[in-house]
Amino acid sequence: MASWAIRSHRDQILDPSAGEAVFLIAASERLHALGGDATLERPVGVEIDPTARRRALDLLEHEGCPCDIRLSDFFAVRRDDFARQFDVVIGNPPYVRYHRFRGEARQRALDVTRSSGVRLTGLASSWAPFVVHSSNFLAPGGRLALVLPAELLHVDYAGPVREFLIRRFASVTVVTFERSIFPGAMIDAVLLLAEDSPVRRGLEVRTLTDASNLDLANEGSFVASPASRWSRLRAPSKGADALDKIRTTGQAVPLSEVASVDIGCVTGANNFFILTGEEAKHLKVPARLLQPIISRPAQLTGAIARRSDLKQLFNHERSLLIRLAKPGLEEGKSLLSAYLRRGRRLGISQRYKCQVRDPWYSVPGIHVPHAFLSYMSYRVPRIALNRAKLSSTNLVHQLIFHKPHRRLAPAYVASLYSSLSLLSFELEGRSYGGGVLKLETREAERVLVPGLTVRLADSLSTILEEIDAAVRSGQSDRASDVVDQCLVQAGVLDSPALAELRAARAALQERRSLRGRTAGKWQSTTLL
C-alpha cells in the first residue's frame, strides 16, 4: 500500500489511526527507498490512545523511522491544524460497530462528515466517517490507501461513503481477497485505493487470491461506476449481467414486492424464556402460555417446517417460549411464579432487553410467520415454509407474504432455492471472516425471486415436497436443480443464462468458504 500511494521522496504522509505504527514505518521506509531525507519528510500520525502512542513512538525510534504522532481523537483534528496538506493518507481505521460507537466521539464524527456533505445514518460504524474525514487532509492529486471492512461494498449505511468516493476521486480501486488476509478477524477486509488524477477512470473492484505477491501498481480494467452498491462487481461479470437482464426484463422481482422480512422476537435470555418439554411439564405451564419456537437456523432441517419437526424439537431442545403478559405473576404460589422469582434473583430482570419491558418477563414481537429465512448461514441460506405454526428468535428471519395464497406461499419458498435467488443472496448479503453469509432484513428484501404466473406458481408449489426431501438429505444443489429446471421450462431462464448464474454463485460461494477455511490459520496483530 505504501509503494502504491507514496511516489515521490517529497510526499507528505498522514496516518489518521497510527496504532502501533505499522504504516508509519512502511511510509518511512518507502520515502528512504525513494531517496528522501527522513529527518525532513517526517510522516505524521494521529492516535487517540496515549499508551498506544507511546509504544508507537518507542517502536519508531527503535526502527530509526523519525515520525510525529499527535495525541488526539482524529475527529477533533482539522486540516488547518497542520502547516501542510498531505499527498498521501494511509492506514487501518478502527472498526467499531454502531452500538459501541457512541457518545461525544460519535457525534464529532457525524458532525465532521456532515460538514463534508456526507450524511451517515445511526447505523454507521467508525470506519465510515474515517474515510470521509481522511479525504479532507489530501492535497490536490492526493492518494488515499486504507484497509477497510468489506461492508464498504454493500451495506446500506456505506451508501453515502460510496457516493462520496466516486465524487471526490477520479479513480477508485477496491481490492478484495479470496483468502482471509487477517486470519482470526471476524470481518472480511478489503483495500481502498483512491486517487485524484487528471484522467477520470471510475471504479474497479479487483479480486486477488491473497496478499502474497501483491502488486497494486498494476492497472486493471476500470468499469463504470454503479449507482450505489458495489457488491455485484465481485461476481463474475457474465453472471452479474445475466442477473441484471432477468431483473430488467421483469422476469424477477425483489422479495420485498411479495413479502416483508422481519426479525424474530428478542427474548433477552433464551435459556430462561425458552423451555424444554420436560421443563414446561415440571413447571406445569398451561399450553395456552407456551409458543412453539425455533431459536437457531440449524433447527430448520428442510424446506418445510412440519409438525413432526416440532415433535423432535420438543423432545430434545428448548422449543417452548413462555408467553406471558399479565403483571404480578411473580407474586403467585405456582411453580411458574417461583420460576420468575428465581429469574429476578439471577439478574434476568436487569438485562437490557428485560429491564425496558413492563413487566420484564413479557416478551414482545411474538409472531407466527408464513415462512422462515436464516439470518446467518454457511453453504446456503435455510428457507422453510411454516406449516408447524412456529415462531422464531432473532437468529431466524420471518417472512410474511403479502398474498399468502395456499399456492403462492409454497411457490415463493421453492423459488428462493433457485440459482437466480441464491446468487442474489450472495450479492446482497455480507460475508464475514469465518465464511458466514449474513443477511439483514433490508438486504434480504432486495434478494430477487422469479416473477410468478399462475402456471409457474402451481408448478413450484407442487415440487416443494421434492425440494424439502433434498434439503433434509443434505442435497441443497439437488434442490436448486429441481427449481432451476422448472424455471427453464417456464421460460424464466434459458440454459446459457442458467449456466452463468450457477457459475457466478459457485464462485462467490467458494470465495466465501475459502475465507472461512483460511481464517484462524495464522495469528495476526493487525486485526480490524
Side-chain angles (χ1 to χ4, degrees):
M1 291 171 64
S3 296
W4 175 84
I6 303 168
R7 303 176 186 178
S8 166
H9 68 276
R10 293 189 175 90
D11 278 348
Q12 304 294 311
I13 300 149
L14 172 68
D15 181 349
S17 51
E20 296 185 358
V22 173
F23 283 94
L24 290 175
I25 291 172
S28 296
E29 292 174 347
R30 173 64 173 166
L31 287 173
H32 180 74
L34 291 171
D37 185 341
T39 59
L40 298 177
E41 313 296 341
R42 295 168 71 95
V44 176
V46 178
E47 177 53 49
I48 193 171
D49 185 334
T51 302
R53 176 179 178 270
R54 181 69 263 161
R55 188 184 303 123
L57 288 171
D58 289 344
L59 184 60
L60 287 163
E61 183 178 359
H62 179 268
E63 295 292 328
C65 299
C67 296
D68 298 320
I69 302 180
R70 174 174 297 207
L71 181 63
S72 176
D73 176 354
F74 178 56
F75 297 115
V77 179
R78 298 294 182 268
R79 185 170 60 184
D80 294 343
D81 293 343
F82 296 102
R84 49 180 165 159
Q85 287 183 298
F86 296 93
D87 303 290
V88 173
V89 174
I90 187 169
N92 181 0
Y95 177 79
V96 183
R97 294 292 302 277
Y98 71 92
H99 55 280
R100 287 182 160 180
F101 186 37
R102 297 176 176 174
E104 294 181 5
R106 178 181 184 81
Q107 193 55 52
R108 278 196 297 271
L110 296 180
D111 289 344
V112 164
T113 55
R114 194 177 297 114
S115 67
S116 300
V118 179
R119 290 186 174 272
L120 296 173
T121 72
L123 297 177
S125 299
S126 60
W127 66 266
F130 254 91
V131 173
V132 177
H133 194 41
S134 295
S135 305
N136 293 331
F137 293 83
L138 285 173
R143 294 169 294 282
L144 186 68
L146 300 175
V147 180
L148 298 176
E151 291 180 1
L152 168 69
L153 295 172
H154 50 73
V155 296
D156 289 331
Y157 77 72
V161 179
R162 294 190 289 266
E163 293 171 3
F164 168 79
L165 288 170
I166 293 299
R167 267 196 330 267
R168 172 67 175 77
F169 294 98
S171 301
V172 178
T173 300
V174 180
V175 182
T176 72
F177 301 90
E178 293 180 354
R179 294 190 176 94
S180 174
I181 58 170
F182 292 116
M186 290 307 295
I187 298 299
D188 184 16
V190 300
L191 307 184
L192 170 67
L193 311 173
E195 179 179 8
D196 267 343
S197 66
V199 180
R200 177 165 289 277
R201 294 183 293 179
L203 167 71
E204 176 195 17
V205 175
R206 189 186 307 171
T207 300
L208 303 177
T209 301
D210 53 35
S212 62
N213 300 317
L214 183 59
D215 184 2
L216 301 180
N218 286 338
E219 295 182 3
S221 57
F222 282 74
V223 298
S225 168
S228 55
R229 293 160 62 80
W230 298 350
S231 54
R232 82 173 288 280
L233 299 179
R234 304 180 78 178
S237 58
K238 290 184 179 179
D241 290 344
L243 194 65
D244 282 345
K245 183 177 180 181
I246 294 167
R247 174 173 41 205
T248 55
T249 57
Q251 297 279 50
V253 297
L255 182 56
S256 60
E257 291 195 13
V258 302
S260 64
V261 182
D262 302 301
I263 65 169
C265 66
V266 180
T267 71
N270 283 355
N271 286 341
F272 181 80
F273 291 106
I274 303 177
L275 306 176
T276 65
E278 282 296 318
E279 288 172 332
K281 184 177 179 180
H282 171 74
L283 294 173
K284 297 181 180 179
V285 183
R288 71 179 186 280
L289 299 181
L290 295 171
Q291 169 60 53
I293 191 169
I294 52 175
S295 57
R296 52 194 179 88
Q299 294 172 335
L300 296 172
T301 56
I304 303 171
R306 303 175 183 272
R307 292 188 180 276
S308 56
D309 298 321
L310 175 57
K311 186 176 180 180
Q312 288 293 318
L313 289 176
F314 182 83
N315 289 336
H316 298 98
E317 300 194 46
R318 294 184 179 277
S319 58
L320 297 172
L321 174 64
I322 309 173
R323 189 169 192 165
L324 305 173
K326 187 177 178 180
L329 290 179
E330 292 175 82
E331 300 165 9
K333 296 181 180 180
S334 68
L335 291 173
L336 179 57
S337 295
Y339 184 72
L340 294 177
R341 290 194 294 270
R342 179 171 175 267
R344 182 179 288 277
R345 289 196 303 272
L346 292 172
I348 303 295
S349 62
Q350 294 305 306
R351 294 191 181 185
Y352 174 70
K353 291 295 183 180
C354 299
Q355 68 179 354
V356 297
R357 303 194 298 233
D358 186 19
W360 65 270
Y361 50 76
S362 180
V363 177
I366 303 173
H367 303 292
V368 176
H370 300 126
F372 298 109
L373 167 66
S374 55
Y375 175 36
M376 292 183 285
S377 55
Y378 284 93
R379 181 164 174 75
V380 295
R382 294 174 183 258
I383 310 132
L385 186 68
N386 186 15
R387 286 186 180 164
K389 300 189 185 312
L390 298 163
S391 187
S392 68
T393 68
N394 59 327
L395 288 181
V396 181
H397 291 328
Q398 301 182 351
L399 274 62
I400 306 294
F401 293 108
H402 303 326
K403 297 179 180 179
H405 186 273
R406 64 184 183 87
R407 289 288 190 187
L408 284 179
Y412 279 121
V413 169
S415 72
L416 286 167
Y417 283 94
S418 66
S419 292
L420 183 159
S421 294
L422 292 178
L423 172 57
S424 193
F425 276 123
E426 294 287 343
L427 292 174
E428 298 298 340
R430 59 190 77 176
S431 174
Y432 281 80
V436 173
L437 179 66
K438 181 179 178 182
L439 285 155
E440 301 291 351
T441 54
R442 291 183 63 181
E443 294 164 350
E445 287 184 342
R446 284 196 293 262
V447 168
L448 295 178
V449 294
L452 298 187
T453 62
V454 173
R455 179 175 296 181
L456 180 55
D458 285 342
S459 299
L460 287 171
S461 63
T462 300
I463 64 172
L464 185 58
E465 293 284 345
E466 186 177 355
I467 296 166
D468 179 62
V471 173
R472 287 176 185 274
S473 63
Q475 297 177 300
S476 57
D477 287 342
R478 169 61 183 159
S480 180
D481 289 342
V482 172
V483 183
D484 288 344
Q485 292 309 311
C486 187
L487 296 181
V488 169
Q489 291 172 10
V492 175
L493 300 175
D494 57 32
S495 296
L498 176 58
E500 297 299 347
L501 294 174
R502 286 179 170 177
R505 174 212 158 195
L508 289 175
Q509 187 184 70
E510 174 59 22
R511 187 179 303 161
R512 177 166 56 82
S513 299
L514 184 59
R515 285 195 298 272
R517 294 195 297 271
T518 56
K521 188 175 290 187
W522 303 278
Q523 294 297 317
S524 173
T525 56
T526 309
L527 299 180
L528 288 175

